[in-house]
């Protein structure tokens, strides 16, 4: 008996019991569709988070003051004065792995223009901050190095602040706004960025020369932090290590010796790569969990195939006996029922793949969730459903192949 005849017999058996065959394949259909949809949602979330992190700043490295103990009390890092302009200059001149660097000092307060006001933060930075945070000026221009040297009272507004201070849509360029009681002339407006993955409004900010914020607002000589960007993502660790060495040397912190321990760092260094790795591990775990939950339905579908194949073997015992009595071998009977099980699972797999892709786009269209369908998820789901058909169809087929022809013919 050749395989063409076996396929024809399997097709006739499936066609003779259409509803039962459909219900048998339904478990596989739902399983494959669930796996593809869940993996698409998980991978879509991962891609969305990666894009949002990239928008916050490419290869960004953030240096902040470290907490210290004074009189047995741990101090707030924001109150520490360990970062100076000399540290910024040293890193800028000595670190080989950064392409942009900016001092940062921050203050919050009320912005006022005419009868309009809003609460927002002012960030004292330099021109490199735009490159580091991937910001751009849509109207006007960024303040200049001369503005930084002269501590000029100029600023660049974020779109959210513009919306509150100029609700009538008037052009803010050249207008004078007040931060608390200090006047600032608006020289530019930032391009809108929207909210990031953590729900923070990236447009609710105002940029000004760091010298202006340090002298005219905060009256301090130390920095709130230093923000820089690595040349490429692959050298972020090297940049972090080199920055740490430079700061420890600047702050005269002692290294470990045979008899003494090293001084603790009085600064903290965090990179965007660390945040990205943490978020990726979280989303990968979520994707695996979703895939495993959806994969359970594939197992349930396989069990359904096995049960139906048992029923089919029982119902067709006399037919098996007749075929074996006219010369069919055990391997022919095994292949006959195995092909039937594989056809059910493969057909269910094809329908499940189409349904899964459709469901993924449906989720994106209706719920506006980000999705990303990877080809390997389709191949994996289809391969698993085929394996399921072989695995769960083999045992009933083996049982049919081992039937005694005489007893099978006499079976009632």
């Amino acid at each position: 008996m050749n395989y063409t005849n076996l396929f024809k017999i399997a097709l006739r058996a499936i066609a003779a019991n259409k509803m039962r065959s459909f219900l048998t394949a339904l478990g596989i259909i739902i399983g494959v569709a669930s796996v593809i949809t869940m993996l698409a949602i998980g991978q879509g979330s991962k891609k969305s988070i990666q894009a949002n992190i990239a928008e916050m700043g490419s290869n960004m490295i953030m240096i902040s003051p470290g907490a210290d103990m004074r009189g047995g009390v741990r101090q707030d890092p924001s109150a520490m004065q360990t970062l100076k302009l000399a540290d910024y200059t040293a890193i800028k001149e000595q670190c080989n792995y950064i392409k942009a660097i900016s001092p940062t000092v921050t203050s919050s307060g009320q912005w006022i223009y005419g009868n309009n006001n809003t609460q927002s933060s002012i960030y004292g930075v330099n021109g490199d901050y735009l490159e580091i945070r991937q910001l751009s000026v849509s109207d006007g221009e960024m303040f200049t190095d001369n503005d930084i040297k002269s501590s000029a009272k100029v600023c660049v507004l974020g779109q959210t602040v513009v919306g509150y201070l100029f609700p009538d849509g008037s052009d803010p360029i050249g207008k004078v706004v007040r931060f608390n009681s200090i006047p600032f002339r608006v020289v530019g407006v930032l391009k809108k960025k929207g909210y990031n993955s953590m729900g923070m409004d990236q447009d609710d900010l105002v940029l000004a020369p760091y010298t202006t914020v340090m002298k005219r607002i905060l009256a301090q000589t130390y920095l709130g932090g230093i923000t820089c960007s690595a040349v490429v993502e692959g050298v972020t660790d090297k940049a972090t290590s080199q920055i740490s060495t430079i700061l420890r040397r600047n702050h005269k912190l002692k290294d470990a010796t045979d008899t003494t321990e090293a001084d603790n760092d009085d600064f903290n260094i965090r990179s965007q790569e660390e945040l990205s790795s943490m978020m990726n591990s979280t989303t990968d775990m979520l994707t695996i969990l979703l895939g495993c939950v959806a994969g359970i339905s594939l197992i349930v579908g396989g069990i359904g195939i096995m049960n139906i194949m048992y029923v089919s073997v029982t119902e067709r015992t006399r037919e098996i006996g007749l075929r074996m009595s006219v010369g069919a071998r055990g391997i022919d009977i095994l292949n006959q029922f195995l092909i039937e099980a594989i056809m059910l699972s493969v057909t269910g797999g094809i329908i499940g793949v189409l349904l899964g892709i459709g469901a993924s786009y449906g989720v994106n269209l209706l719920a506006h969730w980000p999705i990303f369908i990877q080809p390997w998820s389709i191949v994996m789901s289809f391969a698993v459903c085929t394996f399921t058909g072989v695995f769960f169809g083999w045992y009933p087929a083996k049982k049919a192949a081992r039937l005694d022809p005489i007893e099978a013919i006499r079976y009632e």
Side-chain angles (χ1 to χ4, degrees), residues 316-337:
R316 297 159 64 185
T317 301
R318 289 178 61 110
E319 174 191 335
I320 294 170
L322 287 171
R323 284 187 178 157
M324 295 183 76
S325 65
V326 294
R329 298 167 299 169
I331 188 66
D332 296 323
I333 303 300
L334 175 67
N335 288 336
Q336 174 187 336
F337 284 93

Side-chain angles (χ1 to χ4, degrees), residues 10 60 75 78 124 192 226 229 244 295-296 339 352 360 362 371 383:
M60 188 166 64
Q75 304 296 309
S78 62
K192 186 176 181 64
I226 300 172
S229 180
S244 178
I296 292 173
I339 288 172
S360 299
I371 63 162

Side-chain angles (χ1 to χ4, degrees), residues 244-401:
S244 178
T245 301
I246 293 170
L247 290 178
R248 286 186 64 85
R249 183 169 60 244
N250 265 27
H251 296 181
K252 295 180 172 57
L253 299 176
K254 297 178 181 178
D255 294 327
T257 64
D258 294 337
T259 57
T260 60
E261 295 182 357
D263 291 339
N264 293 327
D265 291 340
D266 58 357
F267 55 87
N268 293 315
I269 303 177
R270 295 288 181 269
S271 68
Q272 204 76 313
E273 189 176 5
E274 292 178 10
L275 177 60
S276 179
S277 298
M278 181 184 69
M279 298 299 288
N280 284 343
S281 63
T282 301
T283 52
D284 285 343
M285 185 65 68
L286 177 62
T287 301
I288 293 171
L289 178 62
L290 292 174
C292 290
V293 171
I296 292 173
S297 57
L298 274 176
I299 298 175
V300 174
I303 294 172
I305 287 179
M306 184 170 66
N307 289 336
I308 295 301
M309 293 306 297
Y310 264 126
V311 172
S312 181
V313 168
T314 302
E315 289 180 346
R316 297 159 64 185
T317 301
R318 289 178 61 110
E319 174 191 335
I320 294 170
L322 287 171
R323 284 187 178 157
M324 295 183 76
S325 65
V326 294
R329 298 167 299 169
I331 188 66
D332 296 323
I333 303 300
L334 175 67
N335 288 336
Q336 174 187 336
F337 284 93
L338 196 56
I339 288 172
E340 188 174 330
I342 292 173
M343 288 181 67
L344 285 172
S345 61
V346 169
T347 303
I350 294 172
I351 298 173
V353 166
L354 297 176
L355 184 62
I357 294 173
S360 299
Y361 284 106
V363 167
N364 177 252
L365 183 65
L366 299 176
H368 303 291
W369 290 356
I371 63 162
F372 181 72
I373 301 175
Q374 291 188 319
W376 66 260
S377 67
I378 296 176
V379 173
M380 182 193 71
S381 300
F382 194 78
V384 169
C385 81
T386 303
F387 173 77
T388 301
V390 173
F391 181 79
F392 287 99
W394 179 84
Y395 189 75
K398 190 69 174 177
K399 180 184 177 183

Side-chain angles (χ1 to χ4, degrees), residues 101-123:
I101 182 170
S102 171
T104 55
V105 282
T106 310
S107 180
S108 297
Q110 188 176 43
W111 288 91
I112 303 169
Y113 178 75
N115 295 325
N116 303 310
N117 66 87
T118 183
Q119 289 286 331
S120 188
S121 298
I122 182 170
Y123 290 82

Side-chain angles (χ1 to χ4, degrees), residues 15 20 37 71 73 88 91 99 110 119 127 139 164 177 180 218 244 253 270 284 317 343 371 376:
R20 188 171 71 183
T37 304
V73 179
Y88 156 70
I91 295 172
K99 61 180 178 179
Q110 188 176 43
Q119 289 286 331
D139 295 307
Y164 282 120
V177 298
N180 296 332
L218 299 174
S244 178
L253 299 176
R270 295 288 181 269
D284 285 343
T317 301
M343 288 181 67
I371 63 162
W376 66 260

Side-chain angles (χ1 to χ4, degrees), residues 63-75:
I63 307 163
S64 58
D68 193 14
M69 296 288 289
R70 293 183 181 176
V73 179
R74 184 166 293 278
Q75 304 296 309

Side-chain angles (χ1 to χ4, degrees), residues 115-305:
N115 295 325
N116 303 310
N117 66 87
T118 183
Q119 289 286 331
S120 188
S121 298
I122 182 170
Y123 290 82
V125 296
N126 65 11
D128 284 356
Y129 192 75
L130 293 182
E131 180 182 352
I132 296 168
R133 291 293 307 274
Q134 294 190 350
L135 299 169
S136 59
V137 178
S138 60
D139 295 307
E141 60 184 8
M142 186 64 172
F143 47 80
T144 64
D145 290 339
N146 287 333
D147 292 327
I148 296 174
K149 291 176 182 178
S150 62
S151 303
K153 290 183 284 187
V154 294
C155 66
V156 179
L157 303 180
Q159 290 286 351
T160 299
V161 179
V162 171
Y164 282 120
L165 298 185
F166 302 92
D168 57 353
S170 59
D171 187 4
I173 306 299
K175 303 291 176 57
V176 176
V177 298
R178 296 198 314 275
F179 178 72
N180 296 332
S181 60
I182 303 172
F184 280 84
R185 180 170 58 87
V186 180
V187 296
V189 174
L190 294 173
K191 185 178 179 181
K192 186 176 181 64
K193 286 199 73 173
Y195 288 84
N196 62 21
S197 58
M198 289 168 281
M200 296 174 60
D201 186 356
Q202 300 179 93
D203 301 310
D204 189 9
L205 81 167
V206 177
L207 304 183
Y210 67 88
T211 52
T212 304
V213 177
M214 290 174 68
K215 295 177 182 179
R216 301 183 185 275
I217 296 178
L218 299 174
Q220 66 184 37
T221 58
Y222 59 91
L223 301 176
I226 300 172
T227 306
C228 52
S229 180
V231 177
V232 293
E233 187 174 347
V235 300
T236 301
D237 290 339
K238 292 181 179 179
T240 301
S241 177
Q242 193 173 41
I243 290 169
S244 178
T245 301
I246 293 170
L247 290 178
R248 286 186 64 85
R249 183 169 60 244
N250 265 27
H251 296 181
K252 295 180 172 57
L253 299 176
K254 297 178 181 178
D255 294 327
T257 64
D258 294 337
T259 57
T260 60
E261 295 182 357
D263 291 339
N264 293 327
D265 291 340
D266 58 357
F267 55 87
N268 293 315
I269 303 177
R270 295 288 181 269
S271 68
Q272 204 76 313
E273 189 176 5
E274 292 178 10
L275 177 60
S276 179
S277 298
M278 181 184 69
M279 298 299 288
N280 284 343
S281 63
T282 301
T283 52
D284 285 343
M285 185 65 68
L286 177 62
T287 301
I288 293 171
L289 178 62
L290 292 174
C292 290
V293 171
I296 292 173
S297 57
L298 274 176
I299 298 175
V300 174
I303 294 172
I305 287 179

